[in-house]
Structure formats: structure tokens, C-alpha cells
Amino acid sequence: MTELTHPLATVPRDELLTRAEADPLRPRFHFVSPAGWLNDPNGVSQWNGTYHLFYQYNPEGAFHHRIQWGHATSPDLVTWTDLPVALEPSAGPDADGCWSGVLVNDGGTPTLVYSGRFEGKELPCVAVGSPDLQNWTKDPGNPVIAAPPAGVEISAYRDHCVWREGTKWRQLVGSGIRHRGGTAFLYESSDLRSWDYIGPLCIGDASQGDPADTDWTGTMWECVDLFRAGQGSLGSVPTDNAPDVLVFSAWDDGETRHPLYWTGRYAGDAFEPEALHRLDYGGRFFYAPQSFEDESGRRVMFGWMQEGRSDAAMVEAGWSGVMSLPRVTTVANDGTLEFAPVPEIEKLRRNHVTVPGQVLVGAGTSLETGVSGNQVDLELDLQLAPGAEVRLGVLASPDGVEETLIVLSRAAHGTPVGTLRLDRTRSSLDPAVDVEDKSGPVPMMDGRVRLRVVVDRSAVEIFANGKPLTARVYPTLGGERVTLAATEGSARLLTFDAWTMAGIFESTRSLLPEGK
Ligand code: DQQ
């Protein structure tokens, strides 16, 4: 590893692990890097039964610089084993960083397609792996695409989605066309090395909507991910009504905004978008998602849970960035996506508590749930009367000064849609952390809501009838209480099951893990 050279590398390397491990806000059952910086999930896959998670990693400190590909494997998507860094910058087209990309199976040869960064620009590169996916050799022909498409004024060009279609490979590279909007450029190849440019798969319109909106499509699309949500492979004639899905992370002038997806149909060389959707109501807290189909046919998605504290606070903490729990991605009856943590996560559940079903009446006192913990998995089944609002509090301090509130509300007049909101205004006494409100619509037939809340210290993942809201919180008082109350109208608590969650990393980890 190179010497500490970056001005932000103020924490000595041998202190990073101790600082990271000592931080009470560091999640214990979400994947985090050994220490230092983590961002996007990369090369997510299952290979001969083993799950692989690569990730954007800087072991030099908790800041984004000279990015490498960290690597971990899992038998079950729950516990992870650290493996040696898979890709590290070297003289040539990735000298300044090995940015995001994917893993494909090239006739039995594990192959990475990633963005090599050099002199402020990214270009597509390829590396092939040993059968155990631990040793990677970069292609001597890198970059395999020498430049972005000629004659188009682009804002940026990086990140890859690669799939097999018939006898050819196809690839998307995320980009943005100046004065128009985000896009994904489509290429074709017979060998993953020599690529023919086909054209933009589809182009967003950045002039549509207010740039402040939570569904603004941005000026560039990062981490594009195209998949068929139903039966069959991309490009084949659909046999059901399930849509094709184009996921992207809307970016603008250096700002990571939010993940969105189009549903529509990919056919020939184009994607015909039908509808635009927010992928996660937490916006940038579930950024740069990447998905894959596992050997049992499930579509599994990971996202990067960014930090909501200052750059200086991250550097001091010695670590930054959390990988979301892997999410099973399915299609709802209305053609939108629904998400749930993979059921395997349930093996971490301990100390089951059941809260008795009851009627909650507005403005009444909070229910004493008896549930507590800063690593918890909560499952509630609720029925809200028209006009009702229910508030679930987590990480509440004994005096109630700090509390993170998950608020469900149903409109007074019979629409089958309600709202999920995360109120972080009292999550932390630290005035420097992000407390912006996050919210979005939730289908609520007859007021029924299946609410799942997973809390792992500073990481919170919420699913209301399958619609996710992911965010980070930074309590300072060590609160662990879980509270429940109706604040408007009335609601029935039908079921409430709670568990504390075991941690997944038992032994001390290494910044630069050895091979297994
Ligand atoms: N992060 C990577 C890029 C990608 C961005 C760099 C998204 O490849 O566009 O670490 O978070």
C-alpha cells in the first residue's frame, strides 16, 4: 500500500481499525469495510454458490480517494469473510482509482468491467479473475473503450451494466448529455474487449421538474442497472406483464442526489420508459444500488448508505459508509418495485418480544412496548383509520430527549395511499448531522400497513408495504427505547414482533485482508 499522502489522511493507518471498532455508532450486522472509506456496491453476484460483494474502498482513511475494490464473500448474505483487495490502482488507465463496475461470467472466467480513473476522467476497463475470484489480472488492452462517444457533449461517463444477449455482450455506461439530461450509452461486443457503440439507450430531460424535487432525474446517471423484473432474460419477448427496469442514481455537478428507476420496455436498442419512480425515500442514503439474480432466481439489491455527518467527523471516526442489507426486489401488482431484506437476515434474530395487539387512540400516551435495543428488527401489522397518524419511536433516550420517529399517516378521505415519513429532528443532539425530513407515498388498502424497521445503531432501514426509506442517524445519548403511539385518529395494532439482532463480525478485522 502507498504511504499516507492525502491531506485528509490525518488518522494514522494503525489507528483506523481501533477507532472504527470503538465507535458505538458503527453498525454491527450490516456490512461495513474493516475501516476507512466504503461507497458503492460492485460486482454483486453469486458464484458457485458463494455470494460475492465487492465495494468501493479506501483503506487509507475515511475519505473518497484512490479508490480500490474491497472484497468479501458470504455463504448466506448474512455473515461475511474479508478477502484481499480485488483491484488496486496501478500505472495506466486506472492509476487514480478503480471505480464502480460489475462481475460477469465469461464462459466460466470471472470478469470485471469497471471504470478506470485517470487524470480526472473514467474509462471502461476489464480484469479477469482466478477461479476463486481472489486474484485479478487487468487486461493489457485497457481501457477497452478509448473515449466516450464522439460528437456528444457529456458531463461525465462511468459505471457499467453488462449482460449477455444472444451471442453478444451488451453494456451500458452511465453518462449525461449537456443541456439535455442523464443517459446510458449502449455498446455491443463479442468478447468484452472490443466494443461497438450503438447509441443512447434513453435520455432523461433535466429541464423537467424542479431540481430540488426528490424525483428530479439529474444531469448525469450514475450506476445504471437494467434488468427484467419478470420472467425471461433481457431482450427476449416478454411472457408476462412485468416491466423491464432501468435503475440509476441521479447526479448533478458532483452532488449524489437519489436513486430512481424507470419501468418500461427494453427492446432492440432502446428502452421505452413508461413511468418514473423513486427507488428509496431516503434519497442519497440508499445510493448507487446494484442488483443481481442469485442462483435461486431472486433479484437481490444492495445500496450504499452514505453518512449524514460531516467529512471531518467521518475522518476522525476512522470509518465511513454502510452497505445496506441485501434486499429481495419484486414487482407489486401496480407494476412498481417492492423490497424486503433477504429472509436469511432473520437468523440473526434473538430475544423475541411480542407486544399485545390493541387499539391506539390519538393523542394518547405512548405504549410501553417493552422493546429496547440499538440493534433491532421490528415487524408490525397496523390498520389506520382514515385521518390516523401513528408514530413509532426508536433509539429513544430514557428521558425522551433523543428519539427517531417513523410516522405513518392515512388521508382523512378514502384514498388507498398514505405516507411514510422519517422525522430525525430529535434523532441527535449533535447540531451538525443531517436531519432533513424524508417521506414518500405508501399504498394503504383499507389502512393496512406491514411495517418493518431494522435499526443497526446509526443505520435505519424502513419498509412500509414494501416501500423503503433508508437513512442514517447519530444519537448521542445511547437511547434504546422503542415507543409506539397514535398521534391523530385511531389505529389498530394487529401484531408487533421484535427481536434484538446479533452482530456479524466477531474477530478483529484487517485493513488489508489476507487470502483464504
Ligand atoms: N461512485 C463511484 C463512481 C460512481 C459513484 C466512484 C457513485 O464510479 O459513479 O467511487 O457513488
Side-chain angles (χ1 to χ4, degrees):
M1 192 175 152
T2 47
E3 286 310 304
L4 301 186
T5 50
H6 196 276
L8 281 174
T10 51
V11 177
R13 199 190 319 167
D14 57 6
E15 260 187 49
L16 287 172
L17 278 168
T18 2
R19 286 210 194 185
E21 276 164 20
D23 186 349
L25 291 169
R26 195 163 197 248
R28 302 296 203 266
F29 63 93
H30 281 69
F31 183 84
V32 284
S33 63
W37 170 274
L38 165 150
N39 60 299
D40 313 353
N42 292 153
V44 294
S45 51
Q46 189 176 17
W47 189 278
N48 290 337
T50 298
Y51 290 101
H52 289 259
L53 171 64
F54 301 85
Y55 57 92
Q56 296 276 286
Y57 181 36
N58 179 16
E60 198 185 344
F63 51 93
H64 187 265
H65 175 67
R66 200 177 173 273
I67 293 295
Q68 322 186 354
W69 275 42
H71 185 192
T73 53
S74 172
D76 56 4
L77 291 168
V78 179
T79 55
W80 295 92
T81 301
D82 291 313
L83 291 178
V85 162
L87 292 175
E88 203 187 345
S90 55
D94 65 9
D96 297 333
C98 300
W99 283 21
S100 285
V102 292
L103 171 78
V104 291
N105 183 339
D106 183 13
T109 304
T111 305
L112 303 178
V113 182
Y114 67 101
S115 290
R117 179 173 168 87
F118 184 52
E119 295 183 331
K121 294 201 175 79
E122 296 82 46
L123 288 172
C125 292
V126 165
V128 293
S130 54
D132 63 1
L133 280 67
Q134 291 203 36
N135 296 297
W136 295 89
T137 309
K138 295 176 187 174
D139 195 281
N142 284 340
V144 293
I145 297 175
V152 195
E153 215 192 315
I154 58 159
S155 49
Y157 175 80
R158 57 174 171 264
D159 311 334
H160 313 266
C161 174
V162 181
W163 68 100
R164 189 87 185 156
E165 199 173 312
T167 57
K168 295 280 176 82
W169 291 101
R170 286 200 146 193
Q171 165 167 212
L172 295 175
V173 182
S175 190
I177 301 178
R178 282 198 196 281
H179 316 299
R180 288 192 68 184
T183 191
F185 292 126
L186 177 64
Y187 294 82
E188 193 169 71
S189 169
S190 49
D191 63 359
L192 292 169
R193 310 296 192 282
S194 159
W195 291 93
D196 295 323
Y197 174 57
I198 297 178
L201 184 77
C202 73
I203 306 174
D205 183 353
S207 71
Q208 283 283 308
D210 184 335
D213 287 349
T214 50
D215 63 354
W216 182 54
T217 58
T219 55
M220 189 255 163
W221 294 352
E222 294 193 297
C223 301
V224 288
D225 187 14
L226 177 68
F227 57 87
R228 173 152 292 184
Q231 299 297 312
S233 51
L234 276 179
S236 65
V237 177
T239 55
D240 57 19
N241 285 331
D244 292 329
V245 176
L246 179 62
V247 174
F248 61 98
S249 289
W251 179 93
D252 179 46
D253 196 19
E255 209 187 323
T256 53
R257 295 294 307 275
H258 39 242
L260 300 172
Y261 65 96
W262 296 101
T263 46
R265 186 60 68 209
Y266 163 66
D269 298 335
F271 179 86
E272 270 315 315
E274 271 157 28
L276 178 71
H277 310 272
R278 295 167 65 196
L279 191 140
D280 188 298
Y281 300 149
R284 73 177 186 91
F285 290 109
F286 186 84
Y287 197 75
Q290 191 180 96
S291 71
F292 68 106
E293 189 181 311
D294 79 357
E295 289 169 3
S296 68
R298 300 181 298 182
R299 177 136 307 260
V300 177
M301 184 180 283
F302 286 89
W304 165 38
M305 298 176 66
Q306 302 193 24
E307 298 292 327
R309 52 183 172 183
S310 71
D311 292 354
M314 297 183 220
V315 169
E316 281 303 296
W319 71 282
S320 171
V322 177
M323 204 54 80
S324 74
L325 294 178
R327 295 177 179 179
V328 181
T329 307
T330 48
V331 191
N333 290 337
D334 65 359
T336 63
L337 296 180
E338 280 186 352
F339 302 90
V342 294
E344 289 92 323
I345 294 299
E346 294 164 22
K347 65 172 84 156
L348 298 173
R349 288 172 167 178
R350 307 281 184 271
N351 311 316
H352 184 197
V353 173
T354 308
V355 181
Q358 53 200 282
V359 175
L360 307 166
V361 182
T365 46
S366 287
L367 177 70
E368 220 27 82
T369 66
V371 177
S372 86
N374 57 8
Q375 295 174 213
V376 290
D377 188 358
L378 313 174
E379 274 189 1
L380 292 81
D381 203 347
L382 293 151
Q383 183 160 30
L384 277 65
E389 182 182 86
V390 172
R391 222 173 63 175
L392 177 74
V394 295
L395 300 170
S397 58
D399 55 7
V401 167
E402 281 186 347
E403 185 168 21
T404 293
L405 299 172
I406 295 139
V407 185
L408 288 168
S409 48
R410 182 178 176 196
H413 305 292
T415 91
V417 180
T419 304
L420 166 68
R421 186 166 70 86
L422 179 68
D423 176 350
R424 294 179 298 162
T425 47
R426 288 195 296 111
S427 286
S428 176
L429 289 178
D430 180 347
V433 302
D434 182 321
V435 292
E436 195 190 10
D437 246 40
K438 301 285 178 193
S439 64
V442 171
M444 230 178 247
M445 202 52 82
D446 300 326
R448 282 294 281 270
V449 186
R450 276 174 299 111
L451 179 66
R452 175 90 179 267
V453 177
V454 179
V455 178
D456 190 1
R457 295 165 183 254
S458 61
V460 179
E461 298 191 58
I462 306 162
F463 304 84
N465 287 341
K467 299 300 172 198
L469 193 165
T470 305
R472 304 294 305 281
V473 291
Y474 301 90
T476 64
L477 302 174
E480 299 196 348
R481 286 167 53 236
V482 174
T483 68
L484 182 68
T487 37
E488 301 282 344
S490 70
R492 281 166 58 204
L493 174 65
L494 301 166
T495 61
F496 186 165
D497 291 283
W499 297 263
T500 53
M501 296 293 273
I504 57 169
F505 295 107
E506 255 134 48
S507 56
T508 304
R509 299 167 72 191
S510 159
L511 260 189
L512 294 175
E514 307 279 324
K516 296 281 171 211

